[in-house]
Structure formats: structure tokens, C-alpha cells
Amino acid sequence: MRFFHISDLHIGLKLINRDLYEDQQYILGEIVRLAGGKQPDAVVVAGDIYDRAVPSAEAVALFDDFVGQLREAVPDACIMMISGNHDSATRIDCYRSVLSRQKLYMAGNPPMQEDEHVECVELSDEYGPVRFYLLPFIKPSMVKAITGVDDDGNNLSYDAAVRFMIEREAVDTSVRNVLVSHQFYLPVGKGADAVERMESEIVTVGNIDQVGADVLSPFDYAALGHIHKPMKVGSEVYRYCGTPLQCSVSEAGQQKGIILVDMKEKGCVTTEVLPLTPLHQVKVVKGTLEEVLLQKCGDYVTVVLTDTADHNAVDMQDRLRTAFPRLLEVRRENIRKADTAHAVTEEAAANPYELCRSFLGTELSEEEDALLSDVINTVLEGGTAE
């Protein structure tokens, strides 16, 4: 059994002030081209199909074109997709039963009632069945009708909720099983701080969404989405494939790719990363203005100026935009601060929780801190999914 593992397409994404439509169209075409060459039996997309819960008409049209081209390239393959935290689960579920008859499985909502279960798509080859469990992004509040609440009447933690939902499936480990999931799984024995997160990801305060990766043990392969940097979760067969495109400046120079998975008999799984080369790279160019201008290119560029002298702002911007037509931003490394007492640290600027703490400028009580964390996490989660 051969299948592609991709995730986090984020169709409709903008990189700072740049529309990535052309770049996304190109990279989706590259995925189709590789699929046509490798002829996988299945293609798995592990969530975050769109960048927004309500995608633009252009984003929907691009996704539709991608699926149509993919079906033409691999007419006999089974295509399986789940919703991520950026998607609208209800929209992904639309026409779910009709599409499944065309070997296109779109799992938006997770099971939400006692009589519902994780969708299981069974394929087979000369070694027997392979069962793909399609588990969309879960928030504990979404599945509490199944999991119940804790002794204090509160929703379960993310870890407990996901664990409950997987364990209730009673996975038959005598056959080959694949989990397709979009959550923040942590390798056993590692803390959340040990995982490098990208600027393009939504990070909850206190990493309350973390789930222990030991819950993946019943599966022969876990096709994971949510983390934007390619990463293994304590095993060669439990993997985040990452985004197919560099989605933020923090991903500059990062190699992206598709994971090609080959499964033979039970216990025999091999993986290969098929590199994806984008239409335009994301780069950080650093130096004095004159040094930077010598590195002109057509890629998406963040310029970091190390000059200590001031430049005419209009002239500087014009020269940089001429050298870098896809200029993202200009940063000054040695910028002078008129009031250092109120300067916001880089960490605070990148983290909503730290930014609020910096703005408040006072020590919070334990109760106030918990309230602030809850408000920020609610906004982060509620702003990207229905």
C-alpha cells in the first residue's frame, strides 16, 4: 500500500502583505505532478485545507481545481481529507456521503454523539486490509456529549478528550492501521517548549492543546497535521509532514515536501520525503543597505538592515522595492528606542499572551492570569473554526 501524506495547505493564505495565490497554485500543481509519477493508492491531507474558516471564492476555486487535477492524475486512488483548526468543519462535511461514493472522503466534524464513530476507510492489497481512521481536529467542547466532563463539571483536557476518542474505537492491532489526525502531539518525555513552532501556527497559551504521542501506539503510521515544520513524533512512522509552502518568515530556507509511505506486511513501513521546490523562496537578507541591495532577487524577502546611520525612508524603500519586487518587510537591527521603558520585547510581539501582559504592565494574580489565558485561547480557537 502506497500513499501520500500532505497537510496544512492553508489555501488562501497571505504572507504578511503578499497574496500567495500564484505560489499555491504552482505547488499544488507540483503535488499533482508527483502523484501522477508515483501513482499512490491513496492521498491523505491531514487538515487545514484552507487558511480561514470562511475561505474566499478564489481559494475554493483553487481547491476545487486541485482535487479535479489530482483525480485525473490518480484516477484509481482514494483521496482522504480531514478538517484542521483553521477549517470550518461544517463546510468540509458538505456532501460528505455523496463524495465518498467517488472515493473522496472529506471528514469535517469528529464524532459528536454516542452513536457516531471516527470514519474508517478500509483499503486492501496483497497483504490484507489497511484501515485509515480519519479524525478531524478536536476541541474538548466538541465531543463532550461522548467523553463527558470531569468531576468539577468542566470539559476534559485536550489530551484526555483525544485519548478517549481514539480508545473507544477499539482498533484491531492485528491488521495495519493508519491514523489521520490534526492535533498537537508531543513525543513521550518531551515538553511543549522543546518543539519549535512557526510564526504561521496558532499557539495556545500554556500549550493546553498538547496530546501525548503514546496514544498513537495502536497505529502502524500516523499522518499528522498542525505543526508547520516537518517533524517526527518519537518515531519514523508518527510524522508531521509540514506545510507544502513556507508560510512565514520563520520558515525561511526550510525544505518542504511530501511524505511517501510504503506499507507492506504488518510492521514493515518505509517513508521517503519527496522534496517540493516553490515558485518563490522565503528569505531573510541581512546587512547594510548597500550590502543588501547587491543580493537582489525575485523571492519573498524580509530585509534586516544593520546600518547605524539613518537613511531617507522614501529613498530606501524605493531602492529596496526595486531590488526585491516581492519585499515583505524591512527591519532595523540597531533601531533607537526613544522610551525603552515601554518597548515591547520580540517575544511579546509574537505572543498574544505576552503582549497583553506587557500592555497591562502589572503582576497578575493566579486567578487573573488564568482568566487572561482562557480569554486568549477562546479568541484564538473561535476565530479560525466554526
Side-chain angles (χ1 to χ4, degrees):
M1 182 70 59
R2 164 173 287 191
F3 62 91
F4 273 13
H5 168 199
I6 59 177
S7 76
D8 295 271
L9 305 181
H10 286 280
I11 298 174
L13 172 77
K14 292 186 183 299
L15 178 57
I16 302 183
N17 58 335
R18 294 288 178 176
D19 189 332
L20 295 181
Y21 180 90
E22 182 184 13
D23 298 82
Q24 292 190 318
Q25 183 181 50
Y26 176 83
I27 211 68
L28 293 174
E30 286 296 283
I31 293 171
V32 169
R33 182 182 65 79
L34 288 167
K38 296 293 184 179
Q39 287 297 306
D41 301 298
V43 176
V44 168
V45 183
D48 279 355
I49 296 168
Y50 296 111
D51 191 58
R52 297 178 180 274
V54 184
S56 66
E58 292 78 10
V60 174
L62 181 54
F63 173 64
D64 178 66
D65 186 54
F66 168 59
V67 174
Q69 289 188 38
L70 190 59
R71 172 53 72 214
E72 288 184 11
V74 283
D76 298 323
C78 182
I79 301 172
M80 294 171 271
M81 304 187 187
I82 62 170
S83 65
N85 58 305
H86 278 254
D87 295 312
S88 162
T90 303
R91 284 180 170 81
I92 301 301
D93 262 341
C94 191
Y95 305 119
R96 183 170 175 172
S97 60
V98 175
L99 292 173
S100 64
R101 299 170 200 163
Q102 310 302 318
K103 296 198 293 186
L104 175 58
Y105 296 87
M106 303 279 290
N109 281 303
M112 299 173 73
Q113 302 297 329
E114 280 286 352
D115 61 344
E116 297 176 346
H117 283 268
V118 175
E119 181 159 8
C120 179
V121 179
E122 184 172 310
L123 305 180
S124 60
D125 60 14
E126 64 269 34
Y127 299 104
V130 179
R131 294 173 183 164
F132 291 81
Y133 288 85
L134 310 184
L135 183 63
F137 176 69
I138 287 177
K139 288 193 289 186
S141 59
M142 298 168 69
V143 295
K144 67 179 180 180
I146 298 174
T147 64
V149 295
D150 64 19
D151 293 338
D152 297 322
N154 299 316
N155 293 331
L156 300 187
S157 67
Y158 275 81
D159 182 88
V162 172
R163 199 171 294 274
F164 190 102
M165 296 301 292
I166 290 176
E167 290 176 350
R168 77 190 284 264
E169 295 304 315
V171 176
D172 180 0
T173 55
S174 69
V175 301
R176 293 167 297 167
N177 300 287
V178 176
L179 176 68
V180 185
S181 179
H182 191 96
Q183 303 285 160
F184 179 27
Y185 290 98
L186 275 180
V188 177
K190 281 195 175 183
D193 293 340
V195 178
E196 184 182 6
R197 306 296 295 273
M198 301 294 101
E199 292 171 358
S200 53
E201 298 176 32
I202 291 177
V203 181
T204 59
V205 177
N207 293 294
I208 62 169
D209 57 341
Q210 66 188 40
V211 179
D214 59 304
V215 74
L216 304 174
S217 60
F219 300 96
D220 298 88
Y221 186 85
L224 306 178
H226 191 48
I227 303 299
H228 289 184
K229 180 180 180 179
M231 186 181 91
K232 300 170 187 174
V233 188
S235 168
E236 288 288 331
V237 294
Y238 303 152
R239 302 178 69 145
Y240 287 101
C241 61
T243 56
L245 276 179
Q246 298 155 355
C247 294
S248 65
V249 176
S250 64
E251 295 161 64
Q254 199 175 98
Q255 179 63 63
K256 302 295 188 177
I258 300 165
I259 299 180
L260 174 64
V261 184
D262 279 306
M263 304 185 77
K264 295 184 178 179
E265 66 272 15
K266 177 78 175 179
C268 184
V269 181
T270 59
T271 60
E272 177 187 357
V273 177
L274 307 178
L276 288 170
T277 301
L279 188 61
H280 304 103
Q281 296 282 355
V282 176
K283 295 180 178 178
V284 177
V285 179
K286 183 176 179 180
T288 65
L289 178 59
E290 297 306 322
E291 291 170 341
V292 163
L293 290 172
L294 293 174
Q295 303 178 59
K296 61 183 180 179
C297 66
D299 293 316
Y300 294 106
V301 172
T302 283
V303 169
V304 180
L305 293 177
T306 60
D307 301 68
T308 54
D310 289 329
H311 294 283
N312 178 285
V314 175
D315 176 67
M316 178 185 70
Q317 286 283 347
D318 286 345
R319 295 177 71 188
L320 287 172
R321 292 190 185 283
T322 299
F324 306 105
R326 292 180 179 82
L327 180 69
L328 297 174
E329 58 181 344
V330 180
R331 301 178 185 176
R332 297 294 298 271
E333 189 172 74
N334 297 305
I335 191 168
R336 293 174 298 192
K337 298 180 177 63
D339 185 359
T340 56
H342 292 87
V344 178
T345 66
E346 185 175 344
E347 178 186 12
N351 185 314
Y353 172 75
E354 294 297 338
L355 187 60
C356 289
R357 289 290 301 270
S358 176
F359 176 77
L360 292 170
T362 184
E363 289 296 321
L364 301 181
S365 68
E366 185 174 333
E367 183 179 354
E368 290 170 333
D369 188 71
L371 178 60
L372 176 62
S373 299
D374 183 59
V375 169
I376 293 173
N377 285 330
T378 299
V379 171
L380 288 174
E381 292 177 347
T384 56
E386 290 184 349

